[in-house]
Amino acid sequence: MPKLRANAKIVATLGPASSDPETVRALYDAGAAVFRINFSHGAREDHRARIRAVRAVEREARRPIGIMADLQGPKIRIGEFAAGPVDLVEGAVFRFDRDPAPGAAGRVCLPHPEVYRAVAPGQQMLVDDGRLRLEIADCSNSHIAATVLAGGPLGDRKGVNLPGAVLPLSAMTEKDRTDLSFALDQGVDWIALSFVQRPDDVAELRTLAGNRASVLAKIEKPAALDNLAQIVDLADAVMVARGDLGVELPPEEVPSVQKRIVRTCRAAGKPVIVATQMLESMVAAPTPTRAEATDVANAVYEGADAVMLSAETAVGRHAVRSVDVMSRIVRRTEADPAWRRFIDAGEAAPDPTASDAITTAARQVADTVGAAAIVTYTMSGSTALRASRARPAAPILCLTGSDRTARKLVLVWGVSCFFSHDASSVEEMVDYAVDMAKTHGFAGPGQPIVITAGMPFGTPGATNLLRIAWVGG
């Protein structure tokens, strides 16, 4: 049995460097709790093989493991050039138009009619992940003339970001819809939606996914920040996707935006992931920079539910080591005596409901009696989510008879999930909770545990029972 996870979880992206079952098992043993499948890259058969590898590890480990399908979203790209890359010179005017002919020194095709309707003079265009910066001087329904502010070489199919525009685009392309159907048929647990701008984007995915997977909204467009509370309310979880967000926002704004998103999610009791370039240097190097280690630690101090590795595990030379290093950073941060003060400072007030009253009381009782663990029985996951929102000092042992719920909750801060049978009485529930806490190393003889559940058993969202029990010898 692997060691118990830290409170903050690790999401690892699978790719060419981490596709075989042995590597997936090594990533799990090193600390990964959720595996991300990036549908921006790779063939359908590759994705299927990686999902099967994760499920094989899950069966072997006898612990739930989460799988996230990350949809590509509507990436805006220019066309191709007739004679290779061109140089954009500072001060010159460069033209984007709808002519499909190959580009030349002064122009290129931008085959997205919705862009021309959304932009205005004075707005900026960022090309090639922000390496090139232009300001729109003139535009119509068929062309954009932009002055080059920061130049350089421009090659085929580079991406375009428009930080000042809200694009009339669905967050889901036809490719995304096809990928979604495939991912749901493969039994993934989370669907991550890219380039969310409006609450309606999340609602559209939820309608398509139904109850077959949980919905995660990636915040990587400034427009999403104007609707952050509504997006968080509609989503099951949120990702601070700092890649494109860092392109479209000035770099000095990204840290405060990250903290705002984490605070909003914590207040709403929704899991939040901090992602992108966390240990980027480990794509090639065996150790991270000190700044990268601090970046991971800061997300843990903020109380993020999870931190994520992308290229580090998908294509990096040191995939398993990257997870191990991140795990050690997380654990060392959570061992810092000051960490608890940071966590408590971000604690949200409970909602005025019986369920929140019970889970808030569970934390207080656990602190008072020195409980070794808080044990939650849940079918929908709401009891464990509420317990996690309170960020207790005691670990949360979640027992559920639902495979889908267990796999969903492995992403959640402080929660360790185990598959369990349904209890038929309070006495059976208490006995089983004590046995599981002892068996899995959460509590030893003579130690108390706090138990929360909903009555009647199997009623979703009805957290209304609180018990204290002691582990026998």
Side-chain angles (χ1 to χ4, degrees), residues 67 116 147 153 257 308 396 424:
I67 300 177
Y116 300 92
T147 303
V257 167
M308 192 175 94
I396 302 166
S424 59

Side-chain angles (χ1 to χ4, degrees), residues 294-319:
T294 300
D295 182 39
V296 174
N298 281 337
V300 177
Y301 281 120
E302 290 169 13
D305 290 77
V307 286
M308 192 175 94
L309 295 164
S310 299
E312 300 95 328
T313 53
V315 298
R317 295 181 183 176
H318 310 282

Side-chain angles (χ1 to χ4, degrees), residues 14 95 135 142 161 180 193 224-225 235 293 314 319 327 331 434 447:
L14 297 181
R95 180 184 174 93
E135 183 176 292
S142 60
N161 293 84
L180 171 64
L193 183 63
L225 300 173
S327 179
R331 289 179 177 279
V434 168
Q447 290 186 303

